[in-house]
Amino acid sequence: MSEQHQRRDAMDGSFDSGRSAAFQQAPGLLALFEGPDLRLAEVNEAGRALLGGDDVSALAAGSAAGSPVGPVTGDLLALVRAVHETGEPRVGEVEPGGAGPLVVGVAPWRDPDGVVRGVVAQALAGPARPAPSAPSRPAAPAAPAGPDQTLVALQDALLPGGVPIPRGVRLAARYLLADEGTVAGGDWFDAVALEDGRLVLAVGDVVGHGVRASVAMGELRALFEERARLDGDIEAALELLDSRARRVPPARAATVCAAVLDPQTGELVYCTAGHPPPMVVSPSGETTFLPSSGAGPLASGLPFDLAEHQLEEGDVLVMYSDGIVERPGRTVAQCTVDLAEVVREAVLAGPDLERIDERVPERICRESIERLAGSTGVADDVTVLAAELVEPMPDLELTYPAMPDTPRVVRAELAEWLDELQVGPLDEVALQHAVGEVVTNACEHAYSAATRRTEAVVELVAHLDDEGYVEVTVRDNGTWRVPGAPGSRGRGLAMARGFTDEFEIEHGEQGTTARLRLRPTRSVGMLTASGSRAAAREPLTIEERPGVLLLTGTVDHRCTDELRRRLAHASYGGTSDLVVDMSAVTLLASAGVQVLYEAIAPVSGPGLGVLHLVAPLGSPAQHVLEMVRLPYTTS
């Protein structure tokens, strides 16, 4: 029997009844159109249900007898004809009556000699109605679709990358994306530190999901921030949002809880524009949900009435979106009680040894999402913003002799002060290097060799101001020296200027004073309901090969001594060229950058090698190296 006859007999079951049965029981449409008239030679049971039941024997794509007999056949026949004429496969969408779209792949059916014998059609996705005669069984639940990374990136770009560090308030925030296919949502938050020391806080929720909700959310957040930054008038800011929402349909009925807090007095003024009211928890764990101010959602026509509350030192203000109090399987009342209990326990819990740097606001945000969303899942995005009223951070005041080791000591002292503020890693890198350059400049150039050691000193004062700027002042009593010629050492002050928001230097008979300012932030965690969380610290491993060091994991203050030792060993004390490959580095902290700066500084000279840093584009190391302007290659 020829191969062609075997295939033909297989379709009617005479060659292999098992294969024929498998063909008939296949899920979704399977159909063979054969011959120049594209006669429907075979169709499985699910396909018969889609194409019009059992009355498909007369269906032919190219003859008068082939008039469509089912709700889907018109579109399908057009695809079949197109593939038969061109010999090229195609994918199209057809619409079974009332069953939703069906994606169908159609390809030419060729003989062994390449001649087109007919066309094969197969359902690729979409609903498939089971054949009436096929035994039914419960379908396994489909795995939830993963978050669309484009939408996640959009959401991440529209939200603040961090929260400010205002004087007298410790802030934290966390955002959870509900993982339900249309993952981009309308939740948003913001925190704005004003020049007079007050802090404006907001949590909002735009109705719906998807790109339109995210774009509307981004627009409302931007408008709110710009108006609130002028004078802290949250009522005027909400009125601006209300005016915009009346003209932008996706923003209508959006809810906002906005507040302005004065850390010096503890006075809180807030508005709950259709949004759940904030909660206050005391250091003893007593929780209080503040009363609603009575305002309605945006574009509701209701005025934005304000309410007031007095906070005491140690109190934590917790603002949140309704996703955390509207969880599956729990009533709003139950969810509200759950939230109060979790927040109370987070306040009363002692420091976690695994999260030794975590403060109360961070613990509230983390516990709220991990425990509540983790226990029941979430049906909507969740935002938690916590603000703790704390004693203002005292200034850092240092006086050291102008000696070669002084910059290292200053860096260590400054690192502890910045860690207490919980300054983000990139901002810490910038501040450490800017201050390091200024202090080094004073130690090396301010005093002559004849100056008595008791007089050759460097003074440093670091201060956090009301607006959240870290201001560092470095003074010496020496003599100003004009920077050297290009190519010599002396670019430190220019680097310091590049690392900061503001930099100024004054010099005269009494010495030199350098002032630098930078507004740092604390990072904000963004999660998805699929369970992804902030990566835990991965210990640094160092693999040494001839002329190459391969770094994997976290490069931070815990490994600086080992990194220095391995760099010196692999480069033979800096006398040989060395490549440091950081492709697998997951975090490059300021302490690690400092070690690299020290190793790369003598880039030329008799008997000195060259240190080459490798960091691929988009990698954590590349981002930091680009910011701190350390030379590197991507491969």
Side-chain angles (χ1 to χ4, degrees), residues 26 119 148 367 374 414 517:
V119 172
D148 185 293
E367 289 279 318
L414 182 61
R517 298 181 79 220

Side-chain angles (χ1 to χ4, degrees), residues 334-419:
Q334 290 171 328
C335 290
T336 302
V337 172
D338 293 342
L339 176 61
E341 180 64 18
V342 168
V343 170
R344 186 186 72 85
E345 292 178 0
V347 169
L348 296 179
D352 188 334
L353 294 180
E354 296 182 358
R355 301 180 175 90
I356 195 64
D357 295 330
E358 186 178 62
R359 306 299 196 275
V360 170
E362 288 88 354
R363 188 157 62 243
I364 288 175
C365 293
R366 178 182 57 80
E367 289 279 318
S368 297
I369 288 181
E370 288 185 2
R371 291 178 55 182
L372 298 179
S375 64
T376 63
V378 291
D380 198 0
D381 301 344
V382 174
T383 300
V384 182
L385 176 64
E388 181 184 14
L389 199 61
V390 297
E391 184 179 351
M393 183 73 174
D395 293 349
L396 175 67
E397 299 181 358
L398 304 174
T399 300
Y400 284 107
M403 300 178 64
D405 198 44
T406 294
R408 180 186 63 81
V409 178
V410 169
R411 282 196 298 269
E413 298 267 14
L414 182 61
E416 291 186 8
W417 191 78
L418 294 175
D419 285 346

Side-chain angles (χ1 to χ4, degrees), residues 29-34 38 40 51 61 72-94 102-110 116 118-125:
L29 167 72
L30 281 175
L32 301 178
F33 296 85
E34 187 177 22
L38 296 175
L40 184 62
L51 299 178
V72 72
T73 53
D75 293 336
L76 177 60
L77 294 181
L79 278 173
V80 169
R81 292 191 190 97
V83 171
H84 186 260
E85 292 172 359
T86 64
E88 298 293 334
R90 295 192 179 188
V91 175
E93 186 174 285
V94 297
L102 182 74
V103 179
V104 177
V106 183
W109 173 19
R110 299 181 184 274
V116 176
V119 172
V120 181
Q122 177 184 9
L124 301 179

Side-chain angles (χ1 to χ4, degrees), residues 164-169 171 192-200 229 261-264 392-393 395 463-471 517 519:
I165 307 178
R167 186 171 175 82
V169 178
L171 282 174
V192 181
L194 304 177
E195 292 183 4
D196 60 7
R198 292 180 300 155
L199 180 67
V200 176
R229 194 177 292 280
L261 171 64
D262 188 337
Q264 296 183 2
M393 183 73 174
D395 293 349
H463 170 73
L464 177 68
D465 70 12
D466 292 336
E467 200 176 354
Y469 277 95
V470 169
E471 181 175 293
R517 298 181 79 220
R519 178 147 55 182

Side-chain angles (χ1 to χ4, degrees), residues 257-268:
C257 180
V260 56
L261 171 64
D262 188 337
Q264 296 183 2
T265 64
E267 181 183 0
L268 176 73

